[in-house]
Amino acid sequence: MALYVQAIVNGFLVGGVYSLMALGLSLIFGVMRVINFAHGDMMVWGMYLSYWLFVTAGVDPYLSILVTGSAIFLLGAAVQKGLVNRILDAPHEMQILLMLGVALVLENLALMVWGPDPRRVSTTYALSTFWLGPIVFDLPKVATFGLALALALGLYLFLKKTDLGRMIRAASDNQIGALLVGTDILKVFTLAFGIGAACVGAAGSLMTPFLPFSPSTGLFFTITSFNIVIIGGMGSFLGAFVGGLLVGVSESLGAVILVPSLKEIVSFILLVLILLFRPQGLLGGSR
Amino acid sequence: MLRVSGLQTFYGDMQALHGVTLEVREGEVVSIIGSNGAGKTTTLMTISGVLRPRRGQIEFDGRRIDSLKPAEIVEAGLGHVPEGRQLFPSMTLEENLTMGACTRRARAARTQTLERVYHLFPRLRERRHQVAGTLSGGEQQMVAIGRGLMSCPRLLMLDEPSLGLSPMLVTAIFDIIQEINRGGATILLVEQNVFRALKLSHRGYILENGQIVAEGSSQQLLRDPQVRTAYLGL
Ligand SMILES: Nc1ncnc2c1ncn2[C@@H]1O[C@H](COP(=O)(O)OP(=O)(O)OP(=O)(O)O)[C@@H](O)[C@H]1O
Ligand SMILES: [Mg+2]
């Protein structure tokens, strides 16, 4: 019993950062209707950037999210401005091919620069834990959860309370309407992709204290992000958030119930069930 | 104030406008009348810069606007209440209105304009925190008009604002349009309610198959036998 409770707690903690990552994908899809196939690869570049800052300058990964968030923001904004904005009128398959291309370039660039071997950011607190009753908490996972939650909340407030945030939501609600009231839609697109990418870049850094990674890690997280967004409901903020926690918990339970290498199975079963019985996702509207 | 000449707009290879020419003078209410598919919406969308004309010119206050972006056209003082309202359904009523004041000029006056809109539509104030997608059709149309006013337009284009509303609401909407005009804004109105539209307007244009086929003062058009049979069913 304690074993399962422990697994749920661990999964929940990791799920927080999954939520942040999926929020980025959901935002990009919600506004541009573009699926960011390079999502996981953008995350991996955030991880390498944190790794590099850690080994060369001793910068703590919880601090370097500022750098990685900004850098991956620029990467995402550049992809939108330089590539996606140019083919908005092209058939939809073009966007898919384009984004797959970006994913391949980013992954292979990582392979060239960093090689195929896994890296880890070995902080002094990597193995620190504390107990609450019978449950053990990993300090890095708690810190990561807290920061991911804070960033997700920050994103929520930005979207709800600021003029720019409102413009992003308006563009995702109704593009013609947004054009007619006078929003510069291409700028809004660039900003939205940048923010979505910054989320996943920061999420990458936040995971480095407990997760070894290599260039091939990207694909796994792209798939996990999809999975979460579909389970939670395409384009729904709350959906991506809840979906992240749910997938975190189900992976963690999967590792205990089955074997660790099959941990994703549980979340894929969840995905199939959602697709069968509630295809719009847990919190998705009918839109 | 607004001068459109020889406008030709295409959807892919399909030509929707075959040289539309019309003019709106400061302070006027001008109607565009035409049957389904005549090209009324296409004309307004081209003026707003959402669609690009292949040929022709659009001048606003003596300045060419046919290659400007929609945002720049709004900034210049041309507002558009589109067909089908095109609201932001997941945002609150007040957020929808606020979005109407996107341009620099409008943002500065946002609080006052919002007050003005609530004064014009008291019902909207009561529902300001309600999500727009859950409002009734009439309320949504009021939000669409209010959002159009939020940009402080000097010329407001309205595309079928009374479509699908109850007779009482139709009357209310026409009254509001008159009030907006009296408040100083020039109006370009597209309506399928031809009789009421012409009653309200100074002048009108008849659009058929992407071309203006008749124009004149509202009285002239209301008396015109062809207009009476084709559009008034008399
Ligand atoms: N998005 C589009 N793609 C292709 N053709 C279009 C599109 N929108 C309109 N059309 C065509 O262009 C022509 C003019 O349409 P438009 O919507 O401007 O007419 P309208 O006068 O506004 O009609 P209604 O009274 O039905 O609103 C029609 O033949 C229509 O089928
Ligand atoms: Mg129309």
Side-chain angles (χ1 to χ4, degrees), chain B residues 36-37 39-42 83 159-160 190:
Chain B
N36 287 350
K40 304 174 301 282
T41 299
T42 307
E83 184 176 59
D159 197 342
E160 311 223 8
V190 164

Side-chain angles (χ1 to χ4, degrees), chain A residues 53-227:
Chain A
L53 287 167
F54 182 77
V55 294
T56 57
V59 182
D60 188 276
Y62 290 120
L63 206 62
S64 61
I65 55 171
L66 294 173
V67 180
T68 57
S70 314
I72 307 302
F73 173 94
L74 291 178
L75 175 63
V79 166
Q80 179 69 32
K81 194 177 163 78
L83 302 172
V84 184
N85 275 352
R86 287 167 192 265
I87 59 157
L88 289 178
D89 298 328
H92 215 78
E93 309 86 79
M94 295 296 289
Q95 289 179 357
I96 295 177
L97 287 179
L98 178 74
M99 292 318 300
L100 284 173
V102 172
L104 279 177
V105 168
L106 287 181
E107 178 175 349
N108 285 293
L109 219 55
L111 209 53
M112 262 169 62
V113 177
W114 304 103
D117 300 331
R119 312 263 172 162
R120 66 170 66 240
V121 176
S122 314
T123 56
T124 48
Y125 51 77
L127 299 172
S128 309
T129 54
F130 60 91
W131 293 79
L132 278 183
I135 309 294
V136 58
F137 288 84
D138 296 336
L139 191 62
K141 283 185 183 157
V142 173
T144 293
F145 180 79
L147 277 167
L149 213 62
L151 287 175
L153 186 68
L155 176 65
Y156 179 80
L157 291 176
F158 168 77
L159 290 174
K160 268 283 190 242
K161 302 285 178 198
T162 69
D163 280 353
L164 279 177
R166 267 195 289 271
M167 283 189 198
I168 290 178
R169 281 192 296 139
S172 108
D173 254 16
N174 187 327
Q175 265 183 43
I176 298 276
L179 264 180
L180 283 176
V181 297
T183 47
D184 189 333
I185 207 102
L186 292 183
K187 264 190 203 147
V188 171
F189 282 3
T190 302
L191 180 73
F193 206 126
I195 293 173
C199 286
V200 78
S205 299
L206 288 175
M207 278 198 246
T208 54
F210 55 83
L211 189 84
F213 54 94
S214 69
S216 59
T217 307
L219 180 61
F220 169 74
F221 278 111
T222 301
I223 293 171
T224 307
S225 304
F226 278 169
N227 206 344

